[in-house]
Amino acid sequence: MNNDCYHIPVMLDECLEGLDINPKGTYIDLTYGGGGHSKEIVKRLSPEGHLYGFDQDLDAMKGAMQDERFTFVRSNFRYIKNWMQYYGVEQVDGILADLGVSSHHLDEGERGFSFRYDAPLDMRMNQKGKLSAKDIIGNYTEEQLADVLYLYGELKQSRRIASAIAKARAKNEIQTTGQLAEVASPLLGYDREKKDLARVFQALRIEVNGEMKVLKQMLDQATDILAPGGRLVIMTYHSLEDRIVKNHIKGADKKDKNHTDAHAMIFGQTKTVLKAVNKSVITASAEELARNPRSRSAKLRIAEKS
Ligand SMILES: C[S@@+](CC[C@H](N)C(=O)[O-])C[C@H]1O[C@@H](n2cnc3c(N)ncnc32)[C@H](O)[C@@H]1O
């Protein structure tokens, strides 16, 4: 597989700086994709250092780099702790996650992530995953569909789109990206049609891949396995994801009873173990924004374990 056009890494320098790499350290890239970040991390490691690269996508695995200092793990990152246990690694010095889909997913029409191609409604990042976008469009109730579109697509017209889907599927099964676009498009503003359609597809993709749930599971585990002084570097492309990451770093999601190892509770107060390295969220430079459209919605947060 030619990996040159798989994905252009976003905020590469900022991520590397955020990881503050120790050449002899152990690192994890939870979202290998085309390896844009991983390859640069490995370049900064000595023979004693090591990088573990996770991705649940078979295509990412096929293109994974070969290097003594690198191990590819084909898995959902929700199992990060189990895998590190398997490799006999108790603590790591830095963890990077560059969330969401890669350009490869959007460019490979048959994966069903994009309305640019007419293809089966799939959208599974893990080709062995059980739930596809077609299952959601065909089987969710109208209310469930509206909730998904509203929550993960932030679409004002979520109820109307859900109702149009319900009416259309009662006549004929909606099987392809093209059929879905045909049903949703008349309800989207003329000047915003492409942007809103992208949000419809984004919402479905997030639901198919359970992205919000696995993000929370990953953040807890990642924080647990970081060594003191270790860095957590997380890049998001959606406000809901960014809020989850921000609250995790603050420990806000752990107040009250949801105690985990990552945020110890002492006398009813949360003792946060992460400290934000940057007070405000980091966004791409003007130069990168001009060169890489994907960087437009990217938000980077860096935290250090105390
Ligand atoms: C934005 S891309 C990463 C691109 C990469 N940083 C690069 O420069 O090439 C996100 C990648 O993470 C993978 N991914 C997303 N969620 C995942 C999860 N829960 N577990 C494992 N891999 C995941 C996707 O399959 C995709 O390849």
Side-chain angles (χ1 to χ4, degrees), residues 31-37 55-56 75-77 98 100-101 105 125 294:
T31 49
Y32 183 84
H37 290 92
D55 206 298
Q56 59 184 334
S75 168
N76 193 303
F77 57 49
D98 171 16
V101 281
H105 285 137
M125 287 189 210
R294 193 178 152 76

Side-chain angles (χ1 to χ4, degrees), residues 6-10 12 29-38 54-57 60 73 75-78 96-103 105 111 125-126 209 211 214-215 235 237 294:
Y6 197 104
H7 185 88
I8 301 169
V10 174
L12 182 56
D29 178 354
L30 289 171
T31 49
Y32 183 84
H37 290 92
S38 278
F54 280 68
D55 206 298
Q56 59 184 334
D57 191 331
V73 186
S75 168
N76 193 303
F77 57 49
R78 73 199 289 191
L96 167 72
D98 171 16
L99 298 169
V101 281
S102 63
S103 309
H105 285 137
R111 301 286 300 265
M125 287 189 210
N126 172 3
N209 296 288
E211 292 177 39
V214 298
L215 172 59
M235 194 144 54
Y237 297 87
R294 193 178 152 76

Side-chain angles (χ1 to χ4, degrees), residues 7-66:
H7 185 88
I8 301 169
V10 174
M11 283 196 259
L12 182 56
D13 292 340
E14 292 85 341
C15 290
L16 294 168
E17 203 178 303
L19 284 170
D20 192 20
I21 296 169
N22 162 13
K24 292 183 179 172
T26 304
Y27 292 86
I28 305 176
D29 178 354
L30 289 171
T31 49
Y32 183 84
H37 290 92
S38 278
K39 285 170 195 158
E40 291 303 319
I41 296 170
V42 162
K43 277 187 196 161
R44 286 156 178 77
L45 296 178
S46 69
E48 294 102 312
H50 205 85
L51 174 69
Y52 293 86
F54 280 68
D55 206 298
Q56 59 184 334
D57 191 331
L58 182 63
D59 291 350
M61 183 176 87
K62 284 183 190 157
M65 72 175 135
Q66 303 290 323

